[in-house]
Amino acid sequence: VETEGWVGVGIAKNKESGMVASDICYVTGEGNVVDAHADTVGTPIADESQDWVLRDRTVEDGVTTIQLTRPLTTTDPHDLAFPTSGDANFIVAYGDDSHTKITYHGAR
């Protein structure tokens, strides 16, 4: 995405919920990975169990590319299982070049 700031991806419970009740992973502008969840619209809450692994991250000419992995299912009560068939509701968000915190990103 076109940012040198944070990038977030996640699984939403359904198409209408957006980030509410979603399973989120975000990578800060400094390259730190946080496995989190959101109960409401706002800053995601870090999970006790950090199940996402950053495999690769590049920042070049103002564009950040990330490659993440996570098991399809985990024992974390805040993680949603990746569906093995049918549709999945993925969410993506990113922020400005702030390397220190997640900020409101607006609808994109």
Side-chain angles (χ1 to χ4, degrees), residues 1 20 29 32 53 56-58 63-64 67 69-70 78 81 83 93 105 108:
V1 295
V20 175
N32 299 313
V53 175
D56 190 46
R57 175 179 175 265
T58 59
V63 175
T64 298
Q67 181 182 23
T69 59
R70 194 207 81 180
H78 297 292
H105 50 78
R108 298 185 180 178

Side-chain angles (χ1 to χ4, degrees), residues 27-38:
V27 180
T28 68
E30 297 166 327
N32 299 313
V33 179
V34 180
D35 183 352
H37 64 281

Side-chain angles (χ1 to χ4, degrees), residues 23-106:
D23 178 11
I24 297 171
C25 175
Y26 64 88
V27 180
T28 68
E30 297 166 327
N32 299 313
V33 179
V34 180
D35 183 352
H37 64 281
D39 296 326
T40 62
V41 173
T43 303
I45 303 161
D47 292 351
E48 284 188 34
S49 178
Q50 296 293 298
D51 300 301
W52 288 89
V53 175
L54 181 65
R55 297 293 180 191
D56 190 46
R57 175 179 175 265
T58 59
V59 180
E60 189 174 314
D61 298 325
V63 175
T64 298
T65 304
I66 59 173
Q67 181 182 23
L68 299 156
T69 59
R70 194 207 81 180
L72 294 176
T73 59
T74 72
T75 58
D76 186 331
H78 297 292
D79 286 350
L80 298 176
F82 282 101
T84 56
S85 64
D87 294 334
N89 299 298
F90 290 101
I91 56 175
V92 177
Y94 60 93
D96 63 20
D97 295 342
S98 168
H99 292 257
T100 58
K101 69 177 192 170
I102 302 296
T103 56
Y104 179 68
H105 50 78

